[in-house]
Amino acid sequence: MASQHRKPRSAGPRVAGIRTPAFATAALTSVALLSQTANAAPSDDGKPSLEEVEKKVDDLYRQAESATEKYNAAKEKTTKQRKRVDSLLDDVAQRTQKLNEAREELGSYAAAQYRTGASAPDTATFLLADTPQDYFDQNQLMSRVTDRQKGAVDDFVTEQSATMRKRREAAESLASLTDTQSDLRTAKATVQKKLGDARELLSRLTAQEKARLAAIEKQRQEEAAAKAAELARRQAAAQAAARQESGAPSGAATGTGTGAGSSSASAPASPADPSYGAKADKALAFARAQIGKPYVWGAVGPGSYDCSGLTQAAWKAAGVTLPRTTYDQVKAGATVSLADARPGDLVFFYDDVSHVGVYIGNGMMIHAPKPGAYVREESIYYDGESGIHSVVRPA
């Protein structure tokens, strides 16, 4: 995806990737296709250039992902509010039952007094009134009510007040739920509109244009992989220096990062937090098991995921509960530098924190990238260094 409106970030050392003979032919093909794209003149019929289409599609996917996180937040809020409304309505029903029972008890007292002539007829009105507390200011009526009857009236007034309060809370919660449901519908419509626009743009491309677009994507991935490899080398060098300074054996782990082994290797937990490594291993094992499953916006598994749905599910498998959205997940742990990133950490992207992946080491991550793609391993530099927002250690 094209990077735009990013926070300026200091660029680390950049090392050009060295292509091996195994994909030299593919590289030459990419260069040729990209050259055609770069030299292509604007279309006479006003049709946008391939670069414009690519940028627009990337922007639409980004906007759709941002809208997806808003949808996820609204959906989570709706679920919580619905539970609260249901609880309040149950409480109101129970209190109403108690109120009716108190009213019936008062009615029996009033009827008995009226039959025996023990009180004036207005006592019945007093006992059956909607607000009987008002009558207690009248001393002549107070003297005619026994302690038991007074207690019954007190219970009635208390239940009536509590019931009215709960009814107001329920009404306010229902109104809030209605507003959130409206936000949910709006976010859903936004996602669908952005994805529909992107599909429409892509459907207009010719076979040759699609091939050139694929070549651009391939070149971008190769550049991102080269940067990931450079990060791995820097981290390995830092670990070696730390071991040498501490006098630890050359094969000992410092627990500071990722090492320079395979991209799926996990660094041991740091001595300060021996439990993190075990939890991270479980989260990574879960994430790897999801590779190949489709990205679906709003999905939390098990058959498909969006980006935050995948990270939430991965860490849940490790016994750690993360919030649903990227906006909240970025707050659910300690922020660490990219140089200190360890397997299991969460890597967040873009100024609006609309994307996240699980770091696996060596500058690589597992993430659910975008609509039309599948859960996969990929360089954390897939959208350039400026696209990286922060790294968070969730446990």
Side-chain angles (χ1 to χ4, degrees):
M1 294 185 291
S3 299
Q4 58 174 359
H5 57 268
R6 307 281 191 267
K7 295 177 180 178
R9 299 184 181 274
S10 59
R14 297 172 181 268
V15 176
I18 301 176
R19 295 183 172 84
T20 65
F23 51 87
T25 302
L28 291 172
T29 302
S30 297
V31 171
L33 289 170
L34 290 170
S35 298
Q36 293 177 26
T37 301
N39 297 327
S43 174
D44 293 335
D45 59 4
K47 183 179 179 180
S49 67
L50 186 59
E51 291 84 355
E52 291 172 333
V53 171
E54 181 201 21
K55 183 179 184 306
K56 182 63 176 177
V57 169
D58 284 347
D59 288 346
L60 287 169
Y61 279 147
R62 278 283 323 282
Q63 293 165 16
E65 192 164 39
S66 180
T68 294
E69 291 305 312
K70 292 178 182 178
Y71 170 87
N72 292 338
K75 186 176 181 180
E76 185 177 45
K77 187 176 180 181
T78 296
T79 300
K80 291 179 179 178
Q81 288 179 330
R82 191 182 300 280
K83 289 180 179 178
R84 173 167 171 74
V85 168
D86 290 344
S87 176
L88 285 171
L89 291 177
D90 287 343
D91 191 14
V92 167
Q94 294 173 5
R95 290 182 180 277
T96 300
Q97 178 63 28
K98 292 180 180 179
L99 188 64
N100 291 335
E101 292 172 356
R103 189 187 297 272
E104 290 175 3
E105 185 176 9
L106 291 179
S108 66
Y109 286 143
Q113 286 184 330
Y114 186 76
R115 286 195 304 271
T116 60
S119 64
D122 61 351
T123 301
T125 303
F126 155 67
L127 292 172
L128 293 173
D130 288 336
T131 57
Q133 186 65 46
D134 294 344
Y135 286 87
F136 284 146
D137 294 334
Q138 304 178 41
N139 292 331
Q140 67 273 24
L141 289 176
M142 284 289 291
S143 64
R144 298 174 186 173
V145 181
T146 67
D147 289 343
R148 185 176 180 184
Q149 292 170 330
K150 173 69 162 55
V153 172
D154 287 343
D155 290 344
F156 175 83
V157 172
T158 299
E159 282 299 331
Q160 185 183 51
S161 175
T163 302
M164 291 177 65
R165 184 175 65 253
K166 289 297 181 180
R167 283 174 176 167
R168 286 195 297 270
E169 288 182 26
E172 291 170 358
S173 292
L174 279 171
S176 180
L177 176 60
T178 300
D179 291 341
T180 305
Q181 288 174 326
S182 176
D183 293 341
L184 187 65
R185 288 191 294 270
T186 299
K188 182 177 181 179
T190 300
V191 173
Q192 293 174 329
K193 176 68 166 58
K194 300 298 183 184
L195 294 181
D197 290 346
R199 285 192 294 268
E200 174 64 21
L201 282 172
L202 291 174
S203 70
R204 298 174 185 172
L205 297 179
T206 65
Q208 184 181 20
E209 287 172 332
K210 290 178 180 178
R212 283 167 28 211
L213 197 60
I216 293 172
E217 179 67 18
K218 181 176 177 61
Q219 184 185 50
R220 182 186 297 170
Q221 290 175 350
E222 291 172 355
E223 292 171 351
K227 286 189 65 64
E230 171 58 21
L231 175 63
R233 286 191 288 272
R234 293 202 309 269
Q235 289 178 327
Q239 288 183 8
R243 285 194 297 268
Q244 185 175 9
E245 183 177 345
S246 65
S250 60
T254 63
T256 59
T258 59
S262 67
S263 65
S264 60
S266 297
S270 68
D273 183 11
S275 67
Y276 183 78
K279 293 176 182 177
D281 285 346
K282 292 179 181 179
L284 290 174
F286 180 93
R288 289 192 183 96
Q290 313 314 307
I291 290 176
K293 293 183 178 180
Y295 174 103
V296 174
W297 66 273
V300 293
S304 57
Y305 297 90
D306 62 17
C307 66
S308 56
L310 176 64
T311 52
Q312 182 188 48
W315 271 101
K316 182 179 180 181
V320 176
T321 300
L322 292 181
R324 175 63 183 93
T325 68
T326 54
Y327 312 133
D328 292 324
Q329 288 182 10
V330 75
K331 306 171 188 174
T335 301
V336 299
S337 68
L338 182 58
D340 292 330
R342 293 174 53 195
D345 291 348
L346 302 179
V347 186
F348 293 89
F349 297 85
Y350 312 122
D351 291 345
D352 60 357
V353 198
S354 58
H355 189 69
V356 63
V358 184
Y359 191 64
I360 62 175
N362 301 316
M364 302 293 289
M365 67 177 172
I366 296 174
H367 69 148
K370 60 184 179 181
Y374 298 84
V375 176
R376 66 194 184 203
E377 289 189 14
E378 191 164 24
S379 168
I380 61 173
Y381 298 104
Y382 80 107
D383 200 14
E385 188 171 1
S386 64
I388 301 173
H389 178 275
S390 57
V391 180
V392 171
R393 188 158 298 156

